[in-house]
Amino acid sequence: MPADLTQVLDVAAMRAAEAALIVGGTPAQELMETAGRALGEWARRLGAGRPVTVLCGPGNNGGDGYVAARHLSEHGVPVTVIAARAPTTPEAMTARALYAGAVQEPEVMASGGVLLDCLFGSGLSRPLPDDLFALLTGLADRHALRIAADLPSGIEANSGAVLNPGLPMFDVTVALGAWKHAHYAMPAAPLMGALRLVDIGVQAVPGAARILAKPRIASPAADAHKYRRGLLAVLAGAMPGAALLSAEAAQRAGAGYVKLLASTRPEGVAPSLVCDVTDLAALADPRVAAILVGPGLGRSTEAVGRLNAALVADRPVVIDADALTLLKPESPGTAPRVLTPHQGEMAALEAAFGLSAIGPRRARALALAVAARAVVLLKGPDSLIASPDGYVTIGPRASTWLSVAGSGDVLAGMIASRLAVHGDAHRAAQEGLWLHGEAARRCGPAFTAGDLAAATGYALSAALL
Ligand SMILES: NC(=O)C1=CN([C@@H]2O[C@H](COP(=O)(O)OP(=O)(O)OC[C@H]3O[C@@H](n4cnc5c(N)ncnc54)[C@H](OP(=O)(O)O)[C@@H]3O)[C@@H](O)[C@H]2O)[C@H](O)CC1
Ligand SMILES: [K+]
């Protein structure tokens, strides 16, 4: 069976998957050979022949390092191996024994081209002791290119916690066998540099989280018309500007018809955007395929009324921004729904639904998804999507320029547009999150939310079948 290279595993699942390979007939040593040689090849190519310093720890991460060092030596690359601690696992001991070159004691302070950090990987269980922290940072300061084996040492694999403040930034992290949550979770993610993954044959683990993949979006059918492509109703609120941003993005994300529901037409609305001043009465139109409520809604009693009107209409709905702070367990409606909280709105929802705010973000998002019978897109530099049936999708790192006012309004519009097209809340959240990242990538630096909304169509074009 081909390996699954989109899954994100916690340490226990990774170990179980490796054990399954071993039980299936692949010796642990062979796994280490496969991983270590691929690691060595990455170091050779990225280093372009420059000398490589391999820092080896006591576990199998270190074992990978000895294999990588042997691979580099075999290819004529100058290698210095530093054993920070003696190997303690059978595979690492064997790997060290097979490495014919000299192994330096940690007192040696090498410098030069490439540092390959094989100190610790997914087995790190506590902060680095001072001597190892000093060794790692000292070597990092002395090498032009820093490559982390599996994970930068000092990172907790499951949570992405940085166990030692002041860890070095890496240029490349070569994940071994499968992605770990730390590769995409804050605060570790920014330390990783470019991410690469080595296939050692790890099979799909049922229920594992997955990296968000580029969606496959179909163009409208030949007999399409605006209602068949999906009418989206965007509820304006106290501050219509946010809903206008959402509507602008939604008009370019696939929906056939986007209406702004407001009692009066806001100033400066583009002619292409219909504003239905019958307002909430328009929700009764059976042709409404999806609703977006929240951007600019406000938190007044009227806002609660508008939210409930949207929920009573019982259409697929995206609940965003202020509406998330008004949503209660007793709120009406059973239609498919997507919640798009940032961290603060998440805390408000957890309080409203009686959930704990403790634990990994993916566990919290899953708990809310079940409690609120909704797909939850928990936003942040490490956005993730949780579905009520237990699936977690990890958003790949996106442009840090998305930290701009209105970015969430645009995302909500993209998701709502996709929801209007097909009515699938989980798929709409995934498609919207991908479009948001792709639109930002296409905008380059320092874009406004208006630029981002305007780039939605170009992002969509990258996902078309
Ligand atoms: N078949 C396989 O398992 C493969 C594994 N791969 C590589 O292996 C690592 C995971 O290896 P593992 O040995 O589980 O973990 P580490 O190498 O990260 O190190 C664990 C050892 O380090 C000790 N430790 C943990 N924290 C500290 C600390 N703060 N200070 C000192 N020592 C520490 C730990 O001992 P303890 O019992 O004291 O916790 C272990 O001895 C994985 O990342 C991959 O690189 C292959 O890639 C694929 C096959
Ligand atoms: K490492």
Side-chain angles (χ1 to χ4, degrees), residues 55 61-62 116-122 147-154 170:
L55 175 61
N61 197 244
L116 185 54
D117 162 20
C118 300
L119 187 59
F120 295 109
S122 56
I147 303 172
D150 206 19
L151 291 161
S153 299
F170 280 80

Side-chain angles (χ1 to χ4, degrees), residues 120-289:
F120 295 109
S122 56
L124 188 73
S125 54
R126 54 197 184 280
L128 302 178
D130 293 345
D131 64 321
L132 296 185
F133 177 75
L135 178 58
L136 176 66
T137 50
L139 287 169
D141 290 345
R142 290 174 173 75
H143 286 78
L145 186 72
R146 304 162 184 174
I147 303 172
D150 206 19
L151 291 161
S153 299
I155 298 296
E156 202 284 314
N158 288 346
S159 64
V162 174
L163 299 179
N164 294 77
L167 286 176
M169 302 277 286
F170 280 80
D171 298 289
V172 182
T173 294
V174 180
L176 301 167
W179 297 119
K180 283 62 174 196
H181 287 285
H183 289 123
Y184 295 93
M186 296 298 284
L191 298 181
M192 298 286 161
L195 290 171
R196 297 292 179 270
L197 175 60
V198 165
D199 178 2
I200 64 169
V202 171
Q203 299 296 295
V205 174
R210 292 219 174 322
I211 294 298
L212 178 65
K214 178 164 84 169
R216 296 159 55 83
I217 294 175
S219 297
D223 61 349
H225 56 71
K226 62 186 178 199
Y227 291 110
R228 187 168 298 161
R229 282 181 51 195
L231 165 56
L232 169 64
V234 178
L235 266 68
M239 299 148 286
L244 286 176
L245 265 178
S246 302
E248 191 183 347
Q251 286 180 300
R252 296 173 171 83
Y257 187 177
V258 178
K259 266 187 178 180
L260 184 75
L261 304 192
S263 50
T264 55
R265 183 179 184 79
E267 292 298 317
V269 175
S272 65
L273 178 60
V274 170
C275 180
D276 189 328
V277 293
T278 69
D279 199 6
L280 298 183
L283 292 172
D285 182 340
R287 295 170 300 185
V288 170

Side-chain angles (χ1 to χ4, degrees), residues 335-426:
R337 55 177 57 174
V338 180
L339 311 185
T340 55
H342 56 49
Q343 204 56 38
E345 291 151 352
M346 184 67 178
L349 283 162
E350 286 169 321
F353 283 82
L355 299 170
S356 158
I358 310 294
R361 295 172 79 246
R362 59 189 180 276
R364 293 170 55 195
L366 279 171
L368 179 63
V370 171
R373 304 183 318 284
V375 171
V376 174
L377 193 166
L378 180 51
K379 297 187 295 192
D382 46 357
S383 293
L384 58 85
I385 298 167
S387 70
D389 50 359
Y391 288 96
V392 172
T393 305
I394 306 287
R397 260 184 333 213
S399 166
T400 53
W401 293 102
L402 278 169
S403 53
V404 64
S407 173
D409 302 324
V410 171
L411 173 60
M414 291 171 169
I415 297 170
S417 185
R418 301 311 307 159
L419 191 60
V421 170
H422 50 62
D424 179 327
H426 194 195

